[in-house]
Amino acid sequence: MGFLEVMVLIVIVACSIAGYIANQKTRILWKLKAEIKWREVKDDINGISEMHEKYYESGQKMKWMDKNLTKSTKNDFETHIDRYNEYIDFCNSKRVPAKIDHNSFKIIIEETEDAILNPGDALNKALERAQKEYDSEYKNLSITGEKLLEERKKSIYLIFDVENLVNSIAKRPKSFDRKLSEIKVEKSKFQSSLEFAKKQKVNLEKGAAGIGAGVAAGGAVAGIAPTAAMWVATTFGTASTGTAISALSGAAATNAALAWLGGGALTVGGGGMGAGQALLALAGPIGWGIAGTSVLASVCLMVRKRFKIQESKRDEIKRMKAFTESLKEVEAKIEKIIVQTKSIYSDLLKQHKDCLIYQSADYSTFSSEDKAKLATLVNNTKSLAALLGKTVEDDN
């Protein structure tokens, strides 16, 4: 490299460093400004929260005849909103993390706005938002559950390859064979769950065909369960209901489907966080609408009709929110299992590739390093196999 080229390189590096330093200074400046704006907007956030508690949470009605109160409250609310939005817009434009969960607080703003500006329609809009949020979280959970199932299917193939490799090695230690037997047991359990799920999926589909989608719970649960059957079976565990679900109808089909989905843990009024609350939310009393627009319409109609008989809209909204939070909690647990599975799979894939040189070799000729590598391969395969059967319940 000549003198000129070296000088050009030095200039380029110097400019890059100068640009980086200038950029860091700018980011620090934006963070300081964001901090100042955050301190200024805290009172507005507290004001919105207080209005939410007063007019939405407590259900207190505005005195519609008191125009001054209505106008004053509306003006205060709009001022709080303008200042809050200014803070969020600044953070977004400068790519500075806001010191508040905007998505969550946005819901509070919408609920407060409805309670103040449209008190007569506030609960209907809140119910609609709760339905949409449940629908969105259900879809997220389904995607996550299917992702875990795919990772486990990939793992099965890799485990099979490792088994073939180890079995081809002559004079291998008996401890390897014992571990391979344990691995085979875990693999068989997973494959059995898949086979069970396939059969029940068919049964659930047959059961759904015999139940009208608009016939309250039975049709909705039976209609949704088949789509979730495969990943639910390996994520929550399975339990036989004794009678083929396809032979049942109405409430009996509903109870059987829930009992299967929840590993038998779902009974009337029963169920814990994992197999109970979460799966009740998964099958939905209100969220069944995610099965399709026609089901959504029929279920929403059913819900609105029974409000006068069974419970208030406010209680229904709280229940739906509780179900949504349950789904979020379960999704986080599934994500954790996915991360664990991916990590071990990635390491094992590389180790298997490195150990292919031992195919059909004689273990007695191995060096200490070779033996250690093979032992690590077997142990990690056992760890991956154990994750095949890990359920959400195992984290409780």
Side-chain angles (χ1 to χ4, degrees), residues 278-309:
L279 279 164
L280 187 59
L282 182 61
I286 305 302
W288 288 325
I290 51 83
T293 306
S294 60
V295 178
L296 175 61
S298 63
V299 171
C300 286
L301 179 62
M302 174 193 72
V303 170
R304 290 196 173 99
K305 283 183 177 179
R306 74 174 185 171
F307 275 144
K308 296 179 182 179
I309 303 173

Side-chain angles (χ1 to χ4, degrees), residues 370-388:
D370 293 334
K371 291 177 180 178
K373 286 172 66 175
L374 193 61
T376 300
L377 179 73
V378 174
N379 288 333
N380 283 348
T381 304
K382 184 180 176 183
S383 297
L384 184 61
L387 281 177
L388 291 174

Side-chain angles (χ1 to χ4, degrees), residues 40 51 66 71 77 79 118 122 135 137 183 187 229 237 239 246 281 285 288 336 343 354 367 385 388 394:
E40 292 173 346
M51 288 181 173
D66 191 338
K71 184 177 180 180
F77 177 72
T79 299
N118 304 295
D135 180 33
E137 188 52 40
I183 289 169
K187 191 174 64 171
S246 60
W288 288 325
K336 183 179 176 181
S343 177
D354 292 341
S367 66
L388 291 174
D394 294 334

Side-chain angles (χ1 to χ4, degrees), residues 182-360:
E182 294 170 1
I183 289 169
K184 186 176 181 180
V185 169
E186 293 293 344
K187 191 174 64 171
S188 296
K189 285 180 182 178
F190 176 75
Q191 290 172 326
S192 294
S193 292
L194 283 182
E195 288 304 313
F196 179 84
K198 287 177 183 177
K199 292 177 182 178
Q200 293 305 324
K201 182 175 183 291
V202 173
N203 289 338
L204 288 167
E205 287 169 343
K206 290 179 180 177
I211 307 172
V215 183
V221 172
I224 288 177
T227 65
M230 298 302 293
W231 70 262
V232 167
T234 53
T235 304
F236 293 92
T238 59
S240 174
T241 59
T243 304
I245 297 174
S246 60
L248 304 174
S249 62
T254 301
N255 294 336
L258 291 176
W260 173 67
L261 286 171
L266 280 178
T267 55
V268 178
M273 172 57 222
Q277 175 84 340
L279 279 164
L280 187 59
L282 182 61
I286 305 302
W288 288 325
I290 51 83
T293 306
S294 60
V295 178
L296 175 61
S298 63
V299 171
C300 286
L301 179 62
M302 174 193 72
V303 170
R304 290 196 173 99
K305 283 183 177 179
R306 74 174 185 171
F307 275 144
K308 296 179 182 179
I309 303 173
Q310 295 184 8
E311 58 191 10
S312 68
K313 292 181 182 180
R314 193 176 298 280
D315 290 337
E316 195 71 25
I317 291 168
K318 288 180 180 179
R319 187 165 64 148
M320 289 183 65
K321 286 184 176 181
F323 286 144
T324 302
E325 289 305 312
S326 296
L327 296 184
K328 288 180 180 178
E329 185 175 334
V330 172
E331 184 186 0
K333 291 184 176 183
I334 296 175
E335 283 285 4
K336 183 179 176 181
I337 300 175
I338 290 175
V339 170
Q340 293 172 334
T341 302
K342 279 187 170 182
S343 177
I344 296 179
Y345 177 89
S346 178
D347 290 342
L348 188 62
L349 187 65
K350 184 178 183 303
Q351 291 163 1
H352 174 256
K353 184 178 180 181
D354 292 341
C355 289
L356 285 174
I357 57 174
Y358 306 136
Q359 184 80 36
S360 302

Side-chain angles (χ1 to χ4, degrees), residues 130-178:
Q131 289 171 330
K132 288 180 179 178
E133 188 178 1
Y134 175 91
D135 180 33
S136 176
E137 188 52 40
Y138 179 96
K139 291 175 182 176
N140 290 340
L141 179 62
S142 295
I143 291 171
T144 305
E146 289 168 4
K147 190 189 301 181
L148 175 59
L149 179 59
E150 289 306 310
E151 290 298 325
R152 285 173 161 172
K153 286 180 177 178
K154 279 171 52 181
S155 298
I156 283 288
Y157 290 115
L158 181 55
I159 290 172
F160 180 76
D161 289 340
V162 173
E163 287 175 319
N164 285 341
L165 172 61
V166 176
N167 283 327
S168 74
I169 298 173
K171 299 179 182 178
R172 60 186 178 274
K174 290 183 178 180
S175 61
F176 282 9
D177 289 336
R178 285 195 297 270

